[in-house]
Amino acid sequence: MGYVFDLRGVLSGQYLDWFVIGVATTLALTCVAWCLAMAMGIILTLIRMIPLPPLGWFVALYVEYHRNVPLLVQILIWYFGVPSLLPRPARQWINAHHGEFLLAAIALGLASAAYIAEDIRSGIRSIPKAQYEAARSIGFGYLGAMGYVVLPQAMRIAIPPLINQTLLLFKNTSLAMAIGVGELTYRTREVESYTFKTFEAFAVATVIYLLISFGIMALGSYSDRRLKLETR
Amino acid sequence: MKLLSIPGVAALATLAALLAGTATTAAKADQLADIKARGKLICGTLGTAEPFSFQHPQTRQIVGYDVDICQKVADSLGVTLELKPIAVEARIPELTQGRVDILAANLGYTPERAQQIDFSYSYFVSQQKLMVTKESGITTLDKLAGKKVTALKGSSSEQGVRRLIPTAETVTFQDTSSAYLALIQDKVDAFCASELILVKLRQQSQAKTPMVVIEKSLFVEPWGLGLRRGETAFKDQVNGVLTKLASSGEIDTVFSKWLGAGTAFDIKRDFPVEEIKG
């Protein structure tokens, strides 16, 4: 009795629907978490650049926490731990409004923000300090000098590591399965537990993950080429 | 596109090679003869499901009802028993890929599973029930329409909820504790599992969060030992062992040791050992 590889079993009817829903959820989770990570990453970098030691320590602590605690643990803390500290109406609101998706996005976004902040900081450090000083000397304040002069250049230099973080974030969404978010890995295991077509189900998921990853890479290298700073 | 082509082609080539590999898994000789020749019966069991298979707190051995049943099969063949702990969702792949000879792993009968593997006669029948928090005020199954119901990922409870409460939203977790925590925190409205698990959880949470197990079973699930398809000689042997255990009354001794009076479950055996009809 040889093994018959049959994709039709997992790519039809309700199973196909589950894959489609899974891909949509994975992409949505990636997008929401990415926006949060970017915003938070920039804010953290700006705070760290302020020459006031306690602020720098705070950001360093933030980065170390997210870098050293396993992401799965962070997700479980956000899902099971944080809501239990909230007042009851807030908890009920979260439970009624796709709490698992929301909290997974927060956990993933905040964790990625730690890495993104480091990448942007590296980018900023590659911009000669004289540019910041020049901006200040023609009348920009701290935010103005950062926002108009330093960050636009730093972000461009940081594009390759940021693409890398985006890829990692995209793959890490699979951990949200642990708190019941119906993303691609969750749906794949569901299809698998129904059909027992283990190999087919995971082959489909592998190909989908690869294709989306390649898409992100292509988009990333395109924007890197378009936005690259002319260097001497 | 330069970035894409090389890793892309390599990855797809690897995948294709893997697919070709599994597609040609060769047929095996008679399994019964193999086991006898090897002198060892490899039994896949969960190892985390009291009282069916779990680690004894003192001896650190995996013991339980499932283990004892497997031991009887091994004894009948005159071979030693080797236990292999496996995860819930790995049960059927482990069996079909030949890493274990037989499954004694809380394996409830479903038609989908029966397409992949053979089931022995039933050696246990599980009542699948739903547990809710007392606060929710839910007392009957029909109140669960449109609610969020949790179950363990890959379990037959999950499939039962989908089939019998189609309007409910199923949310699955990897382990009992996550699902239970989700129920306590009102993230889901009900938890579907075997009555045995629920009774134990209810006892534990009595003081802090009172729970109610809804009286009426959602469905009744016969458990069989899992066997690879088409191994008729081995299947006959296993069914023979189970029939003999039932007729000699020996199965009652094994049953009450793990589930009877004096245990946390305190139930009586009220099911026959017979062929499971889909």
Side-chain angles (χ1 to χ4, degrees), chain A residues 163 213-223 225, chain B residues 1 3-4:
Chain A
I163 296 165
S213 286
F214 291 157
I216 294 173
M217 275 160 66
L219 213 66
S221 64
Y222 172 76
S223 57
R225 260 178 287 134
Chain B
M1 296 307 276
L3 254 177
L4 292 183

Side-chain angles (χ1 to χ4, degrees), chain A residues 1-3 5 79-80 88 95 100 178-180 186 189-190 192-196 198-199 207 210 214 221, chain B residues 4 8 19 22-23 27 89 92-93 112-113 116 153-154 158-159 162 172-174 178 181 185-187:
Chain A
M1 200 181 81
Y3 187 83
F5 186 78
Y79 187 63
F80 287 118
R88 205 187 150 84
N95 289 342
E100 70 285 351
I179 58 169
Y186 179 100
R189 302 193 71 165
E190 219 161 28
E192 189 236 332
S193 72
Y194 267 69
T195 60
F196 299 103
T198 312
F199 205 80
V207 170
L210 274 174
F214 291 157
S221 64
Chain B
L4 292 183
L19 299 186
T22 38
E89 66 281 329
I92 289 178
E112 292 91 348
R113 285 177 180 166
Q116 305 281 322
K153 189 176 289 298
E158 177 196 347
Q159 305 188 9
R162 278 191 209 279
T172 58
F173 290 95
Q174 295 296 105
S178 297
L181 209 52
Q185 297 189 351
D186 293 324
K187 291 182 162 71

Side-chain angles (χ1 to χ4, degrees), chain B residues 131-136 202 205-212:
Chain B
M131 184 163 76
V132 294
T133 57
K134 197 163 188 177
E135 217 184 31
S136 69
R202 191 188 53 191
S205 60
Q206 208 52 48
K208 282 180 97 178
T209 324
M211 300 274 175
V212 178

Side-chain angles (χ1 to χ4, degrees), chain B residues 22-101:
Chain B
T22 38
T24 54
T25 310
K28 275 206 171 144
D30 177 41
Q31 195 191 355
L32 185 63
D34 283 353
I35 295 168
K36 279 184 177 156
R38 198 199 304 141
K40 197 165 71 177
L41 176 75
I42 305 171
C43 170
T45 194
L46 293 179
T48 51
E50 200 178 345
F52 299 99
S53 59
F54 63 104
Q55 203 178 45
H56 191 279
Q58 270 99 51
T59 63
R60 300 267 158 209
Q61 299 288 316
I62 304 277
V63 293
Y65 182 71
D66 277 353
V67 176
D68 282 2
I69 297 289
C70 254
Q71 185 66 56
K72 299 285 179 196
V73 176
D75 290 349
S76 79
L77 295 164
V79 298
T80 54
L81 175 69
E82 184 183 307
L83 292 174
K84 187 166 188 255
I86 47 177
V88 172
E89 66 281 329
R91 289 178 294 189
I92 289 178
E94 291 269 2
L95 180 70
T96 51
Q97 290 170 20
R99 297 192 197 121
V100 299
D101 296 317

Side-chain angles (χ1 to χ4, degrees), chain A residues 3 18 30-31 36 109 138 148 150 167 209 227 232:
Chain A
Y3 187 83
W18 289 357
T30 307
C31 288
L36 176 65
I138 57 170
Y148 290 112
V150 179
L167 272 180
Y209 273 119
L227 296 171
R232 274 162 289 166

